[in-house]
Amino acid sequence: MRSTPFWALSEAMLRGFLRDRASVFFAIIFPLMFLVLFGGILGSQDQPKVDLIKVGSVPLVDELPEEARAAFDEAFEVSEEDDLDAALTEVRKGDADVAIEQRGDELVAHYTQTDQVKAAVTQGTLRAFVDGANVAATGNPPAYSFSAERVEDESLSVIQYVTPGLLGWAIAMSAAFGAAATLQGWRQSKLLRRLQLAPVSTGTIVTARVAVTLAISMVQLAVFLGLGAAAFDLQLTGSWWMSIPIVVVGTLCFMAVGLLAGALAKTTEGAVNLANFLVLPMAFLSGSFFPLDGTPTWLQRLSDLMPLKHFNTGMLDVMVRGEGPAAAAVPLLILAGFAVVVGLLAARLFRWDSA
């Protein structure tokens, strides 16, 4: 079987990849460095407390029942200040999140709006303590009770959310750069012309290149999940095995992006730079490095046009959010659509020679 043109080409391409230390580094080692960095920094990170300055005497806080005061201290990192202006200056500078004072029966919170999410959490938490104090003052028990439960599995940690995005970026970078550099390198070295004259069909050449790229992507998937599980207690949930078809179709999509870059550029350096120009902004705008929930609406809509956003969403759904196989259907269709459209465009612009 190895004597067939497909296996001979596949083995040659794989050997070429393994011999190119830069390719191995940027395909596997470099992305893993980010996984280790994010995992080490964020892996055991807890929800930070709100930095609160208590200005003067605040009876509502000082006279909280023991259980309520314990909850208050768990939610807030409390410091005290007698000067209101000094406390407000600290809040404006970002050294504190909120300063509270009591004016008669009114609790006044002075907060910063620079972090709108934390500002909303701070106001809601303080309002809950005020409501609790009102109930305690009237002596009437509340008619309703409240409890909060997370919708995800209790075992989830930050590393669960970091891994799919970084894996998506690694696969996009490897597939796009590999396709761009290979196409332009073969063109400049006249290898494409020699292959055209050899008794090997174009379909065999393309199939061998695709097979090698998919094999590299599967190795990336296995290494990422293996390191995440071994070093950072990564636990897969839901239909995590659906990540395999997502990786396969996603690889084809980003390989098409690389082929387009290789078809447009005149040199190997130009092809790699163009692929980088396409992939790197996509990584930042698709949630690979940070979530997009707090970004402007127009930026979220722009990210919907990028295939890496749908790759990351599909991976999160099946690996983290506990969704079933059906959750991967839409991302797979979108990625496949991108692969077909961009692949056809690359084929249209393809030239056997650099000139």
Side-chain angles (χ1 to χ4, degrees), residues 15-63:
R15 288 179 180 273
F17 170 78
L18 295 176
R19 288 170 180 169
D20 188 346
R21 296 181 179 179
S23 297
V24 174
F25 175 79
F26 283 105
I28 298 177
I29 307 300
F30 186 60
L32 281 180
M33 291 169 58
F34 279 82
L35 179 64
V36 172
L37 177 64
F38 279 87
I41 294 176
L42 303 175
S44 59
Q45 188 180 67
D46 296 324
Q47 180 67 27
K49 291 185 178 182
V50 175
D51 292 320
L52 179 145
I53 301 176
K54 186 163 69 74
V55 181
S57 175
V58 182
L60 187 148
V61 174
D62 297 334
E63 299 172 5

Side-chain angles (χ1 to χ4, degrees), residues 101-175:
E101 61 170 330
Q102 188 162 341
R103 302 172 185 171
D105 294 333
E106 181 183 14
L107 181 70
V108 181
H110 307 272
Y111 64 93
T112 174
Q113 192 67 13
T114 53
D115 188 339
Q116 298 184 16
V117 175
K118 182 169 282 189
V121 171
T122 300
Q123 294 177 67
T125 305
L126 287 173
R127 186 173 290 111
F129 281 106
V130 171
D131 292 341
N134 288 332
V135 170
T138 60
N140 295 323
Y144 302 97
S145 63
F146 171 80
S147 64
E149 297 180 0
R150 60 188 299 176
V151 297
E152 296 90 0
D153 190 280
E154 292 294 333
S155 65
L156 291 185
S157 59
V158 175
I159 193 65
Q160 314 288 107
Y161 296 93
V162 169
T163 302
L166 290 179
L167 176 60
W169 167 63
I171 288 174
M173 182 175 63
S174 175

Side-chain angles (χ1 to χ4, degrees), residues 39-337:
I41 294 176
L42 303 175
S44 59
Q45 188 180 67
D46 296 324
Q47 180 67 27
K49 291 185 178 182
V50 175
D51 292 320
L52 179 145
I53 301 176
K54 186 163 69 74
V55 181
S57 175
V58 182
L60 187 148
V61 174
D62 297 334
E63 299 172 5
L64 283 172
E66 183 177 348
E67 291 185 2
R69 183 57 197 245
F72 187 89
D73 291 337
E74 185 176 343
F76 298 99
E77 188 69 42
V78 182
S79 60
E80 298 186 3
E81 175 65 61
D82 293 327
D83 186 351
L84 177 61
D85 290 335
L88 296 181
T89 299
E90 288 193 53
V91 174
R92 290 192 191 97
K93 290 168 58 179
D95 295 333
D97 298 310
V98 63
I100 62 171
E101 61 170 330
Q102 188 162 341
R103 302 172 185 171
D105 294 333
E106 181 183 14
L107 181 70
V108 181
H110 307 272
Y111 64 93
T112 174
Q113 192 67 13
T114 53
D115 188 339
Q116 298 184 16
V117 175
K118 182 169 282 189
V121 171
T122 300
Q123 294 177 67
T125 305
L126 287 173
R127 186 173 290 111
F129 281 106
V130 171
D131 292 341
N134 288 332
V135 170
T138 60
N140 295 323
Y144 302 97
S145 63
F146 171 80
S147 64
E149 297 180 0
R150 60 188 299 176
V151 297
E152 296 90 0
D153 190 280
E154 292 294 333
S155 65
L156 291 185
S157 59
V158 175
I159 193 65
Q160 314 288 107
Y161 296 93
V162 169
T163 302
L166 290 179
L167 176 60
W169 167 63
I171 288 174
M173 182 175 63
S174 175
F177 288 11
T182 298
L183 177 60
Q184 190 54 246
W186 285 5
R187 179 188 290 161
Q188 283 190 296
S189 65
K190 306 300 181 181
L191 180 59
L192 278 180
R193 277 299 184 188
R194 290 196 289 271
L195 287 173
Q196 186 185 24
L197 298 175
V200 180
S201 67
T202 302
T204 300
I205 299 173
V206 173
T207 304
R209 179 69 255 185
V210 169
V212 171
T213 304
L214 288 176
I216 295 171
S217 296
M218 290 297 105
V219 171
Q220 289 176 300
L221 175 63
V223 171
F224 261 75
L225 298 186
L227 179 62
F232 304 111
D233 196 28
L234 172 67
Q235 299 181 31
L236 302 177
T237 64
S239 301
W240 65 268
W241 46 269
M242 282 298 296
S243 61
I244 296 176
I246 294 177
V247 167
V248 170
V249 180
T251 299
L252 296 177
C253 176
F254 297 114
M255 191 177 180
V257 172
L259 291 175
L260 177 62
L264 292 174
K266 299 298 183 182
T267 64
T268 303
E269 294 79 7
V272 172
N273 289 335
L274 181 55
N276 189 42
F277 176 78
L278 295 172
V279 172
L280 188 59
M282 194 186 303
F284 281 97
L285 297 176
S286 299
S288 289
F289 299 116
F290 54 84
L292 300 176
D293 297 339
T295 59
T297 302
W298 66 268
L299 189 58
Q300 297 184 37
R301 299 290 77 80
L302 177 62
S303 71
D304 290 338
L305 302 177
M306 302 179 181
L308 188 52
K309 162 69 176 298
H310 302 283
F311 183 100
N312 292 339
T313 300
M315 295 290 280
L316 280 170
D317 284 342
V318 299
M319 290 178 60
V320 173
R321 295 173 177 148
E323 298 286 343
V330 173
L332 284 172
L333 288 174
I334 294 175
L335 290 170

